[in-house]
Amino acid sequence: MSSVEEFRAEIRGWLKTHLSGSFAALKGRGGPGREHEAFAERLAWERHMAAHGWTCVGWPEEYGGRGATIEEQIAFHEEYALADAPARVNHIGEQLLGPTLIDHGTEEQKARFLPPVRAVEELWCQGYSEPGAGSDLAAVRTRAVREDDAWVVTGQKIWTSLAHEAQWCFVLARTDPGSRRHAGLSYLLVPLDRPGVEIRPIVQLTGTSEFNEVFFDGARTDAANVVGAPGDGWRIAMATLGYERGVSTLGQQVGFRRELDALVALARRNGAAADPDIRDRLTRAWAGLEALRAGALRGTDPSAAKLYWSHWHRDLGELALEVCGPAATLAAAAPYELDDWQRLFLFSRADTVYAGSSEIQRNIIAERVLGLPKEPRP
């Protein structure tokens, strides 16, 4: 048995043993559009994982990880999804901030922030998008001014996932008042439990609130809490986005597979599979998912991968309502909560917007991958 197969067997066995008892009820809970489900219990589960060494498996051992290879990380994410284990609450800290600090942070920053992430004692959110700078991230206007031993942050962030549960936020802010676009930005680590920070949940189409507006009105963070040099924030921010689209997406695809299999089963039960158009679209969805997996294993360009999976998932949500038929337009009964297919349809509309809209991804592919002329800008 190869080392990867042994690693896969180890995590599979651990999940079978530990995702039981009080934790068994967490199977399938949480995820996009459902982050409100059993959050406290999922947090306890993830701390249980940490106590047994199953968080941050891809981090180097010197920072508390397992030093897992890419192949082992793929095995971990796939087995976690195949076990129907609950959606992770610490994804942003473990998969985004942690690797950023490991590669670009100071030794003092690593010592302060990495252990609480690994132990799931401090949760993080991402302070990038703003009302006037969503997909055009270089247009951020949140500013930070150095005052003695602190940065003073003023501005607004939006679509901040899980900010209402987080203790910290990594914020892209303009620290050079005369700068424009990518220059003069800094990557700051800002606590959310201090004066000058207000968090307002945003109610989504699904009726839930996992996105937030975050207002900074003179919020302070220590001067040492800048990753990289002041003014070098764009480079650090782009590094973080690269980690966001890493091997963990293979676990996401296992979830997609589960949704597709359930939809095929529904189409067979309710007779929708008799429609040749439905059969054709289900077949195309299967082929698309196979292509997604092949691309992830080969290391597809991150922008191309984001563009493809987000449209695949949005299309699956539309197909789901076609399979369900006219009844999909109705809520079952008071209190009129959505079923899984309705939630999939509504929330997957956001897939093509968050983490970089499709328009921006196409521009990146055209300009940076294909080398085409840049889109004219004012």
Side-chain angles (χ1 to χ4, degrees), residues 220-285:
R220 301 176 73 89
T221 189
D222 293 347
N225 289 343
V226 56
V227 182
D232 194 28
W234 184 260
R235 182 178 67 89
I236 307 299
M238 292 302 100
T240 300
L241 291 179
Y243 306 129
E244 183 178 22
R245 297 159 188 165
V247 296
S248 63
T249 58
L250 286 161
Q252 175 193 55
Q253 290 172 27
V254 174
F256 289 171
R257 173 76 64 187
R258 187 178 291 113
E259 290 175 338
L260 177 58
D261 289 347
L263 188 60
V264 170
L266 174 62
R268 288 171 172 164
R269 288 197 308 271
N270 71 3
D275 184 329
D277 179 62
I278 294 292
R279 288 201 307 274
D280 179 70
R281 291 168 66 184
L282 287 169
T283 302
R284 289 176 181 274

Side-chain angles (χ1 to χ4, degrees), residues 1 4-20 27 45 48 52 54 66 75-76 78-80 82-83:
M1 182 182 292
V4 175
E5 291 172 334
E6 291 174 353
F7 188 87
R8 186 182 289 276
E10 182 183 1
I11 180 58
R12 183 189 300 142
W14 188 88
L15 287 167
K16 182 177 180 180
T17 299
H18 291 263
L19 198 55
S20 59
K27 288 185 176 182
W45 159 252
H48 181 76
H52 289 81
W54 285 112
R66 285 178 172 250
F76 171 83
E78 287 186 335
E79 291 300 328
Y80 190 88
L82 288 167

Side-chain angles (χ1 to χ4, degrees), residues 165-194:
E165 301 287 359
Q167 291 79 48
W168 286 83
C169 182
F170 49 93
V171 176
L172 191 62
R174 195 164 296 282
T175 50
D176 181 351
S179 64
R180 297 184 69 253
R181 303 297 298 167
H182 309 87
L185 300 171
S186 295
Y187 190 108
L188 303 176
L189 312 178
V190 182
L192 298 179
D193 59 353
R194 295 185 184 178

